[in-house]
Coordinates of all heavy atoms in Angstrom, one line a residue:
L1 N 129.9 126.1 106.5 CA 131.1 126.9 106.2 C 132.4 126.3 106.8 O 133.4 126.3 106.1 CB 130.9 128.3 106.8 CG 132.0 129.2 106.7 CD1 132.4 129.4 105.1 CD2 131.8 130.6 107.3
E2 N 132.2 125.7 108.0 CA 133.4 125.1 108.6 C 133.9 123.9 107.7 O 135.1 123.8 107.5 CB 133.1 124.5 109.9 CG 134.3 123.8 110.6 CD 133.8 123.2 111.9 OE1 132.7 123.2 112.3 OE2 134.8 122.7 112.6
A3 N 133.0 123.2 107.2 CA 133.4 122.0 106.3 C 134.0 122.4 105.0 O 135.0 121.9 104.5 CB 132.1 121.1 106.1
L4 N 133.5 123.5 104.4 CA 134.0 124.1 103.2 C 135.4 124.6 103.4 O 136.3 124.5 102.5 CB 133.1 125.1 102.6 CG 131.8 124.6 101.9 CD1 130.9 125.8 101.6 CD2 132.1 123.9 100.7
M5 N 135.6 125.3 104.6 CA 136.9 125.9 104.8 C 137.9 124.7 105.0 O 139.1 124.9 104.6 CB 136.8 126.8 106.0 CG 136.1 128.0 105.7 SD 135.8 129.1 107.2 CE 137.5 129.6 107.6
R6 N 137.6 123.7 105.7 CA 138.5 122.6 105.8 C 138.8 121.9 104.5 O 140.0 121.6 104.2 CB 137.9 121.5 106.7 CG 137.8 121.8 108.2 CD 137.2 120.7 109.0 NE 137.0 121.1 110.3 CZ 137.7 120.9 111.4 NH1 138.8 120.2 111.2 NH2 137.4 121.3 112.6
L7 N 137.8 121.7 103.6 CA 138.0 121.2 102.3 C 139.0 122.1 101.5 O 139.9 121.6 100.8 CB 136.7 120.9 101.6 CG 136.8 120.5 100.1 CD1 137.4 119.1 100.1 CD2 135.4 120.5 99.5
A8 N 138.7 123.4 101.5 CA 139.5 124.4 100.8 C 140.9 124.3 101.3 O 141.9 124.4 100.5 CB 138.9 125.7 100.8
G9 N 141.1 124.3 102.5 CA 142.4 124.3 103.1 C 143.2 123.0 102.7 O 144.4 123.1 102.3
E10 N 142.6 121.8 102.7 CA 143.2 120.6 102.3 C 143.6 120.6 100.8 O 144.7 120.2 100.4 CB 142.3 119.4 102.6 CG 142.2 119.1 104.1 CD 141.1 118.1 104.4 OE1 140.5 117.5 103.4 OE2 140.8 117.8 105.5
E11 N 142.6 121.1 100.0 CA 142.9 121.2 98.5 C 144.0 122.2 98.2 O 144.8 122.0 97.4 CB 141.6 121.6 97.8 CG 140.5 120.6 97.8 CD 140.9 119.3 96.9 OE1 141.6 119.6 95.9 OE2 140.5 118.3 97.2
A12 N 144.0 123.3 98.9 CA 145.1 124.4 98.7 C 146.4 123.8 99.1 O 147.5 124.0 98.4 CB 144.8 125.6 99.5
L13 N 146.5 123.0 100.1 CA 147.7 122.4 100.6 C 148.2 121.3 99.6 O 149.4 121.2 99.2 CB 147.6 121.8 102.0 CG 148.8 121.2 102.7 CD1 149.8 122.3 102.8 CD2 148.4 120.6 103.9
M14 N 147.3 120.5 99.1 CA 147.6 119.4 98.2 C 148.1 119.9 96.8 O 149.0 119.4 96.2 CB 146.5 118.4 98.1 CG 146.3 117.6 99.4 SD 144.8 116.6 99.2 CE 145.1 115.6 97.8
Q15 N 147.4 121.0 96.4 CA 147.7 121.5 95.0 C 148.6 122.7 95.0 O 149.0 123.2 94.0 CB 146.4 121.9 94.4 CG 145.5 120.7 94.1 CD 144.2 121.1 93.3 OE1 144.1 122.2 92.9 NE2 143.3 120.2 93.2
G16 N 149.1 123.2 96.1 CA 150.1 124.3 96.2 C 149.4 125.6 95.8 O 150.2 126.4 95.2
R17 N 148.2 125.8 95.9 CA 147.5 127.1 95.5 C 147.1 127.9 96.7 O 147.0 127.4 97.9 CB 146.3 126.8 94.8 CG 146.5 126.1 93.4 CD 145.2 125.9 92.7 NE 145.4 125.3 91.4 CZ 144.4 125.2 90.5 NH1 143.2 125.5 90.8 NH2 144.7 124.7 89.3
D18 N 147.0 129.2 96.5 CA 146.6 130.0 97.6 C 145.1 130.3 97.5 O 144.6 130.9 96.4 CB 147.3 131.4 97.5 CG 148.8 131.2 97.8 OD1 149.1 130.4 98.7 OD2 149.6 131.9 97.2
L19 N 144.3 129.9 98.4 CA 142.9 130.1 98.4 C 142.5 131.1 99.5 O 143.1 131.1 100.6 CB 142.1 128.9 98.6 CG 142.2 127.8 97.5 CD1 141.4 126.6 97.9 CD2 141.7 128.4 96.2
G20 N 141.5 131.9 99.3 CA 141.1 132.9 100.3 C 139.5 132.8 100.4 O 138.9 132.3 99.5
L21 N 139.1 133.4 101.4 CA 137.6 133.5 101.7 C 137.2 135.0 101.7 O 137.7 135.7 102.5 CB 137.3 132.8 103.1 CG 135.8 132.8 103.4 CD1 135.0 132.0 102.4 CD2 135.7 132.2 104.8
Y22 N 136.3 135.3 100.9 CA 135.8 136.7 100.8 C 134.4 136.7 101.4 O 133.5 136.0 101.0 CB 135.8 137.2 99.3 CG 135.3 138.6 99.2 CD1 136.1 139.7 99.5 CD2 134.1 138.9 98.7 CE1 135.7 140.9 99.3 CE2 133.6 140.2 98.5 CZ 134.5 141.2 98.8 OH 134.1 142.5 98.7
I23 N 134.3 137.5 102.5 CA 133.0 137.5 103.2 C 132.3 138.9 103.0 O 132.9 139.9 103.2 CB 133.2 137.3 104.7 CG1 133.8 135.9 104.9 CG2 131.9 137.4 105.4 CD1 134.3 135.6 106.3
E24 N 131.0 138.8 102.5 CA 130.2 139.9 102.3 C 129.1 139.9 103.4 O 129.1 139.0 104.2 CB 129.6 140.0 100.9 CG 130.7 140.1 99.8 CD 130.2 140.1 98.5 OE1 128.9 140.1 98.3 OE2 130.9 140.0 97.5
E25 N 128.3 140.9 103.3 CA 127.2 141.0 104.4 C 126.3 139.8 104.3 O 125.8 139.4 105.4 CB 126.4 142.3 104.1 CG 125.4 142.6 105.2 CD 124.7 143.9 105.1 OE1 125.4 144.9 104.6 OE2 123.6 144.0 105.5
D26 N 125.9 139.3 103.1 CA 124.9 138.4 103.1 C 125.4 137.0 102.4 O 124.6 136.2 102.1 CB 123.7 138.8 102.3 CG 124.0 139.3 100.9 OD1 125.2 139.5 100.6 OD2 123.0 139.5 100.1
R27 N 126.7 136.9 102.1 CA 127.2 135.7 101.5 C 128.7 135.7 101.6 O 129.3 136.6 102.1 CB 126.8 135.7 100.0 CG 127.5 136.8 99.2 CD 127.0 136.7 97.7 NE 127.8 137.8 97.0 CZ 128.1 137.7 95.7 NH1 127.7 136.7 95.0 NH2 128.7 138.7 95.1

C-alpha cells in the first residue's frame, strides 16, 4: 500500500490530476 500510494502521488503530480484513496473494511 505504501508503494502504491507513492506511485499514485507521483503520477498525480506529473499529470496534474487529483487522486484519492477510498478505504473500506476489507479493501
Side-chain angles (χ1 to χ4, degrees):
L1 177 59
E2 179 187 8
L4 286 172
M5 288 175 64
R6 286 180 193 260
L7 176 64
E10 290 173 3
E11 291 290 331
L13 185 63
M14 290 175 57
Q15 295 183 8
R17 294 183 176 186
D18 294 323
L19 296 179
L21 180 65
Y22 182 73
I23 300 176
E24 296 177 9
E25 185 175 327
D26 59 344
R27 66 182 181 150

